[in-house]
Amino acid sequence: MSGNIPGRSSGQGQKASANAAGREGNRRPNPGKSGGAGNASANGASRSQKPKTSARALAVKVLSAIEQDGAYSNLELNRRLKEADLSPADAGLATELVYGTIARLNTLDYYLERYVAKGVSKLQPWVRSLLRISVYQMIYLDRIPEHAVVSEAVNLAKKLGHQGISGMVNGVLRNMIRNRDELRIPENLPVAERISLEHSHPLWMVERWIAHYGAETAEAICRANNEPPAVSVRVNTTMTTREKLMHEMASTGAIVEASRLSSDGILVRSGGNMALTSWYRDGLFSVQDESSMLVAEAVAPEEEQLVLDCCAAPGGKTAHMAEKMHDRGRIVANDVHAHKRQLILDQAERLGLSCIDAVTGDALDLNERYPEASFDRILLDAPCSGLGVIRRKPDVKWTKSAEDIEDIAGLQRELLDRVAPLLKPGGILVYSTCTIEPAENEDMIADFLNRHPEYRPAEASVWSESETANLKVVNGGVQILPQYAHSDGFFISRLTKTAE
């Protein structure tokens, strides 16, 4: 793909210091929810000195920074939105343009290559970004007239460049509009190439998923990855019930429904930014994906038990386990970074939980810090490729490689070996990832069980039949694909240690 946006991905190829980097944070922000007074001028000039930044100009700057500087899309977008004085509608448009363009990157370039004489890769990054967001609007946003797209693009090209560039942009876009019927993916392409271009995923990734899951399922995965992520919250059952909270939310006009995947989950179809509500501030719920909620359910900690969360930050699953224990017992929540330890403590304080003991250290050294057979429950929410959360972090599609999967699998294998001795006989070890790669998931657990005869898949399922009806059950756990429940792709395996 020409003109790729490289970016940087969290955790890849690092030691266990990757811990939970980016798995529950680093999310796609809610459109239109930046606060931000100020402006987008680089030199910090006052609003009276600089014209107001437009949504499209902001999107171009964000995309260019991602490509040129390796910026994280969510961090760069949030920073720009806070600096800019955009209306909620314009902030929403800028957000849609950034994430939509990243999500459809190779499809947009496929169309542009036919009309950019010298090739997309030869363009300046900001010109490439401008053309990409313009074609994205023309093809995927039906509420914006094509003539308005061209006019805005030409005006922006004049401001950021010169007359020659604006003329080229005008010519390319108008030529594409004249040949609108030709902007489609040929049906006679090889199946992997067609899926790659139609749903905008790297060809190597599509080929890998076809090999693992078959063409039909692979295409369903890619299609689901381009859907907007649902908003779901997890009820803090130490403070309220799901039914009571749903009633309160509905009484304010929010449109909510009970999660079918987790008994603690609520899907919020409409109701604004949940993290800005009094319910969130008062600790009545946490914002969490439905699939992620199943992890603490798999651990199934009981009151007065000692639990180890190996890679805990930012603490969402840690807090869920504490809620499951009714805040009675002790959870050792480990993370390698001191500032992430604070995130765990902040979560616990907001939710009114006192049983969480946040500690700092490399997860690979846990076996040196705690005696064997110390814990009743262990959660290893392992660093992974993150290919299950592409709908929230579309950059992942373009920043990962097959080699990255091999590297991270080596780390996962070592982490499992290090923490396995720490579990008490008869205890439960849960291994989870937010990826859909068998090498990191079911193959990893099969290899672990072959090398650790003292472990076996846990017999008793903690999930109801309705929760796992459409999920692939493997090695005492489940593989959730993003199209199953329109939630994140997750793998959760529940293992037990043979009692002596």
Side-chain angles (χ1 to χ4, degrees), residues 333-411:
N334 178 77
D335 197 84
V336 72
H337 298 295
H339 71 281
K340 291 187 176 181
R341 174 181 179 272
Q342 190 59 48
L343 294 177
I344 301 169
L345 294 173
D346 291 344
Q347 285 247 38
E349 181 178 5
R350 181 180 65 82
L351 296 167
L353 302 170
S354 60
C355 73
I356 296 173
D357 180 12
V359 300
T360 301
D362 196 315
L364 285 171
D365 300 332
L366 286 168
N367 61 327
E368 300 175 2
R369 292 155 53 196
Y370 299 98
E372 290 190 9
S374 294
F375 297 94
D376 301 287
R377 298 284 191 272
I378 295 177
L379 170 59
L380 175 56
D381 189 37
C384 69
S385 62
L387 300 188
V389 295
I390 286 175
R391 75 177 75 198
R392 297 182 188 277
K393 295 187 265 186
D395 317 52
V396 169
K397 289 191 289 191
W398 316 116
T399 59
K400 298 294 182 180
S401 68
E403 290 73 25
D404 294 329
I405 294 171
E406 294 176 8
D407 290 344
I408 204 73
L411 171 60

Side-chain angles (χ1 to χ4, degrees), residues 75 104 114 126 129 233 277 301 309 354 362 382 409 413 466 469 473:
L75 299 181
R104 299 288 184 174
R114 306 181 195 179
W126 74 265
S129 296
V233 301
T277 64
D309 190 348
S354 60
D362 196 315
R413 188 178 192 269
S466 62
V473 180

Side-chain angles (χ1 to χ4, degrees), residues 23-24 234 261-262 264 288-301 307 309 311 316-318 320-321 324 377-382 428-434 462-463 467 478 480 489-494:
R23 283 200 308 278
E24 291 177 87
R234 185 194 77 239
L261 204 58
S262 170
D264 295 331
Q288 186 178 18
D289 183 79
E290 291 178 277
S291 296
S292 180
M293 297 178 200
L294 294 181
V295 175
E297 293 183 16
V299 178
V307 179
D309 190 348
C311 306
K317 299 179 186 72
T318 312
H320 196 189
M321 289 190 292
K324 289 289 186 185
R377 298 284 191 272
I378 295 177
L379 170 59
L380 175 56
D381 189 37
I428 296 293
L429 166 64
V430 169
Y431 172 84
S432 64
T433 71
C434 58
V462 291
W463 299 297
E467 288 174 330
V478 294
I480 307 168
F490 249 85
F491 176 80
I492 308 166
S493 186
R494 192 169 189 262

Side-chain angles (χ1 to χ4, degrees), residues 53-113:
T53 299
S54 71
R56 292 171 179 84
L58 188 147
V60 167
K61 291 174 183 177
V62 170
L63 291 167
S64 298
I66 294 169
E67 180 172 352
Q68 290 182 281
D69 306 327
Y72 292 104
S73 61
N74 68 312
L75 299 181
E76 184 68 16
L77 177 61
N78 284 339
R79 183 180 72 82
R80 296 276 185 178
L81 286 173
K82 288 178 181 178
E83 292 175 354
D85 185 18
L86 296 183
S87 68
D90 280 345
L93 175 59
T95 300
E96 174 64 32
L97 293 179
V98 168
Y99 285 113
T101 298
I102 296 172
R104 299 288 184 174
L105 196 62
N106 67 344
T107 309
L108 299 174
D109 283 359
Y110 175 79
Y111 293 139
L112 278 167
E113 280 294 343

Side-chain angles (χ1 to χ4, degrees), residues 414-433:
E414 190 173 3
L415 282 168
L416 276 167
D417 288 344
R418 297 287 183 93
V419 304
L422 299 180
L423 187 68
K424 293 179 181 178
I428 296 293
L429 166 64
V430 169
Y431 172 84
S432 64
T433 71

Side-chain angles (χ1 to χ4, degrees), residues 16 52 75 142 177 181 210 241 244 263 368 371 390 467 471:
K52 184 176 178 180
L75 299 181
D142 55 9
I177 292 173
D181 292 342
I210 289 176
T241 65
K244 182 178 179 182
S263 59
E368 300 175 2
I390 286 175
E467 288 174 330
L471 308 183

